[in-house]
Amino acid sequence: MSANDQGLVRRLRSTYEVLAREAAKFGIVGAVAFVTDFGVFNLLRYAGPDGVGVLHHKPLTANVISTVVSILVAWLGNRYWTFRHRHRASAPRELVLFFAMNGVGLLISLVCLGFTYYVLDLRGPVASNVSAKIVGVALGTLFRWWAYRRFVFVEELREEGWEAHPSHGDEEPGSPSTAARTGPEERSAPAQVDDVGRREARPGAA
């Protein structure tokens, strides 16, 4: 194997390691947000005399409140832990986009819960939790993972060489326009990932 091939393998491995770490952290944050969502939802619906909570007969309202709380938990965890080494973009901008993307996830969850509760007339705690907090959350999580990287943390990803919205994907590497854009500050994504790996390896930069 040539030196160039070995360098490529190392960069690909570094890319995988960075993405794997982020995916693991994203999963942990998501788990904490899920427990928050699940707990608040069930407290609002079932924490009361005879298992009747303050929003027992308003499952959609309870779901909105619990989801909003979990969204805030997820944003704080992802900004200050999952993407800690990137958090230099505008926090208000990210928060607005984060809530917007999670709004779509909430809509998915509400559709699942509403269908189960009002159409199928399954109103017990098991049916409500399965539809809203398992099926709905699973579908919403898939959407959010894609949306966070494409829309919410765009500036941070671009700083490390990851184009969320590639606009010149059809150009050849050796074309004049590509060469004109390539400079010392525009390095490949694997090279940028090497830098991320080195920063994360420093003491105290978990």
Side-chain angles (χ1 to χ4, degrees), residues 9-174:
V9 170
R10 284 195 297 271
R11 289 191 179 96
L12 290 175
R13 184 180 296 114
S14 296
T15 301
Y16 169 78
E17 290 174 353
V18 169
L19 293 179
R21 283 195 296 271
E22 287 187 351
K25 291 179 179 180
F26 182 84
I28 294 172
V29 170
V32 173
F34 173 79
V35 171
T36 302
D37 186 10
F38 184 87
V40 173
F41 176 76
N42 283 280
L43 284 173
L44 291 174
R45 294 206 62 206
Y46 306 112
D50 300 322
V52 178
V54 294
L55 293 177
H56 183 77
H57 299 294
K58 296 182 178 180
L60 299 186
T61 302
N63 194 44
V64 169
I65 294 173
S66 66
T67 301
V68 169
V69 174
S70 71
I71 288 173
L72 184 58
V73 170
W75 179 75
L76 291 171
N78 281 310
R79 179 169 175 82
Y80 294 104
W81 189 45
T82 305
F83 301 109
R84 181 181 179 183
H85 55 285
R86 302 174 175 172
H87 71 278
R88 286 172 293 190
S90 168
R93 168 192 170 277
E94 283 185 358
L95 184 58
V96 169
L97 288 175
F98 201 86
F99 267 88
M101 297 303 106
N102 276 276
V104 178
L106 171 60
L107 180 60
I108 294 172
S109 177
L110 289 175
V111 168
C112 294
L113 177 59
F115 181 79
T116 300
Y117 194 85
Y118 294 108
V119 178
L120 299 181
D121 199 30
L122 299 174
R123 305 193 172 191
V126 174
S128 295
N129 281 286
V130 168
S131 61
K133 303 308 173 188
I134 296 180
V135 177
V137 168
L139 295 176
T141 298
L142 291 176
F143 170 79
R144 286 191 294 268
W145 169 250
W146 170 79
Y148 292 167
R149 295 186 64 83
R150 184 168 180 83
F151 298 108
V152 180
F153 297 107
V154 175
E155 294 300 325
E156 294 90 331
L157 291 168
R158 185 175 293 119
E159 287 178 1
E160 295 176 5
W162 297 90
E163 284 292 336
H165 304 283
S167 57
H168 304 281
D170 296 332
E171 294 182 7
E172 294 296 329

Side-chain angles (χ1 to χ4, degrees), residues 175-195:
S175 64
S177 59
T178 303
R181 291 196 311 273
T182 303
E185 295 183 357
E186 289 197 30
R187 295 175 295 163
S188 65
Q192 296 286 359
V193 169
D194 287 342
D195 289 345

